[in-house]
Amino acid sequence: MSLINQIRIVFMGTPDFAVPSLQYLLEEKLNVVGVVTQPDRPKGRKKIFTPTPVKVEALNHHIPVLQPEKMKAPEAIQLLKQLQPDLIITAAFGQILPKEVLELPRLGCINVHASLLPKYRGGAPIHHAIKNGETITGVTIMYMAEGLDTGDMISKIEVPILENDNTGTMFGKLSIAGAELLKETLPKLVQGNIQPVAQNHEEATFASNIKREDELINWKKSSKDIFNHIRALNPFPGSYTLWNGKVLKVWESLNPSDIYSKPVNHKDDISPGTVIQMTTDGIEVRTGNGTIWLTQIQPAGKKRMDVGQFSKGSAIPEGTQFGR
């Protein structure tokens, strides 16, 4: 039996992003002695308690699953100690590991993080990279430390962000890239053939979890910024504006770089957020510098739909002011 097959691995992760990394460990028949994931949460309108994607994958392979509400709880730490891990691997776990856990495995704790550190430390690196108009992102595998994503870097891989990408497509691309990077990195780590690199903390940027106020579209921004905002929040949690005092979710828009932006007839008094026109192709809205075409929306109490479908039964008149 090779050295890598002998080590006892505990995997910690929660969403779909983490599943390919866990699948790699299982496909290679590595000794995954336990999986730690977030507790089942209520989902959907019926609030049905639903297991995390990582839990589903683990149970399909008969791997023991722990779901502590708080990883720092003494009983959670005790259960982890009983698994006697040599190495802990995390990927989008969703909880900060206390010092006692970080010091538990002899080979340390490593994290598969969806950014090119030290940029975009925190819980929503993909959202923020797209929102900021980045054209390159990637995955970093690092040793975990007590700070937020501050540990020494072990390996990296770059992944381009295309202009038709959104957070959903990038989650998929980066989850696969993370698994591939883990497959390349793990044997070297176990054999002691790595040279970790300290992060330059002065270059660090932060990607905090998306709050409700972050979802609101600011029509005073440029058309390109609004385009990036919309795709950054698609498919979750979604961006929105207000229409007649109710929430109007905006899921998709046309890239301003790819289309002819209709002049606003030199009416400088038209305020950002004003509807210029609605056709079966979309809703053209005034922004801080030109216009943007919204193509997929979701009125309050309805399903998301293309504007063409929406236009069959409803209309948003020219001059309507979004955001009020």
Side-chain angles (χ1 to χ4, degrees):
M1 182 181 292
S2 66
L3 182 61
I4 192 172
N5 293 99
Q6 296 177 39
I7 63 169
R8 297 174 62 85
I9 298 172
V10 167
F11 183 84
M12 298 183 175
T14 297
D16 288 318
F17 173 83
V19 171
S21 291
L22 176 58
Q23 287 174 333
Y24 149 67
L25 300 175
L26 299 174
E27 288 168 1
E28 295 294 315
K29 294 182 169 47
L30 302 186
N31 189 19
V32 181
V33 297
V35 163
V36 185
T37 190
Q38 296 277 33
D40 297 2
R41 306 290 188 196
K43 281 192 174 183
R45 292 184 179 180
K46 295 184 178 180
K47 301 298 181 183
I48 297 173
F49 276 82
T50 305
T52 71
V54 164
K55 178 181 178 178
V56 172
E57 187 68 22
L59 293 180
N60 285 341
H61 290 83
H62 310 291
I63 306 296
V65 175
L66 305 179
Q67 293 181 275
E69 194 69 49
K70 297 290 184 182
M71 200 61 239
K72 63 183 179 182
E75 58 271 23
I77 295 174
Q78 185 57 39
L79 288 171
L80 194 58
K81 286 181 177 179
Q82 292 174 9
L83 294 174
Q84 299 179 317
D86 296 310
L87 175 69
I88 292 176
I89 301 173
T90 73
F93 174 46
Q95 292 191 39
I96 300 295
L97 301 189
K99 183 178 180 181
E100 192 171 357
V101 171
L102 294 175
E103 295 177 345
L104 180 59
R106 64 180 179 85
L107 293 175
C109 300
I110 64 172
N111 181 37
V112 182
H113 182 75
S115 82
L116 297 175
L117 291 171
K119 293 185 73 172
Y120 301 114
R121 296 174 177 174
I126 301 174
H127 291 84
H128 285 272
I130 295 175
K131 188 174 182 180
N132 291 341
E134 301 281 5
T135 58
I136 296 288
T137 186
V139 175
T140 304
I141 295 180
M142 63 173 177
Y143 279 114
M144 300 182 71
E146 287 190 78
L148 180 64
D149 300 326
T150 57
D152 292 351
M153 301 177 293
I154 301 170
S155 57
K156 286 184 177 182
I157 185 171
E158 292 187 351
V159 178
I161 302 175
L162 306 180
E163 289 206 327
N164 61 348
D165 276 320
N166 58 33
T167 286
T169 62
M170 289 309 300
F171 256 79
K173 292 180 181 181
L174 291 171
S175 67
I176 299 300
E180 292 174 349
L181 187 63
L182 186 62
K183 184 175 183 178
E184 175 188 319
T185 303
L186 197 53
K188 298 176 184 177
L189 185 149
V190 173
Q191 294 163 8
N193 295 330
I194 59 169
Q195 294 181 324
V197 177
Q199 295 187 45
N200 184 341
H201 302 302
E202 293 182 357
E203 296 179 354
T205 61
F206 296 90
S208 57
N209 290 329
I210 303 297
K211 303 180 182 64
R212 181 61 172 168
E213 55 266 29
D214 299 325
E215 300 168 22
L216 182 64
I217 297 172
N218 181 354
W219 296 107
K220 294 180 181 179
K221 290 191 173 184
S222 71
S223 299
K224 192 68 171 182
D225 284 344
I226 294 172
F227 169 74
N228 288 335
H229 175 100
I230 292 168
R231 67 191 183 114
L233 299 181
N234 183 8
F236 55 90
S239 59
Y240 77 95
T241 189
L242 295 177
W243 172 39
N244 293 335
K246 295 182 178 180
V247 169
L248 177 70
K249 285 260 192 178
V250 179
W251 292 107
E252 292 182 4
S253 64
L254 297 181
N255 186 345
S257 301
D258 294 340
I259 61 172
Y260 171 72
S261 182
K262 178 177 177 287
V264 195
N265 298 323
H266 305 290
K267 295 180 181 178
D268 294 332
D269 57 335
I270 295 180
S271 60
T274 302
V275 173
I276 304 300
Q277 61 174 323
M278 185 180 110
T279 72
T280 55
D281 295 324
I283 303 167
E284 188 181 17
V285 185
R286 181 76 150 101
T287 69
N289 73 333
T291 66
I292 189 169
W293 284 85
L294 313 182
T295 56
Q296 191 177 85
I297 60 174
Q298 183 177 2
K302 297 186 178 181
K303 296 180 179 180
R304 57 191 291 178
M305 64 187 82
D306 293 336
V307 169
Q309 180 183 358
F310 170 78
S311 68
K312 293 178 181 178
S314 303
I316 299 179
E318 176 183 341
T320 296
Q321 183 70 47
F322 286 149
R324 292 180 182 172

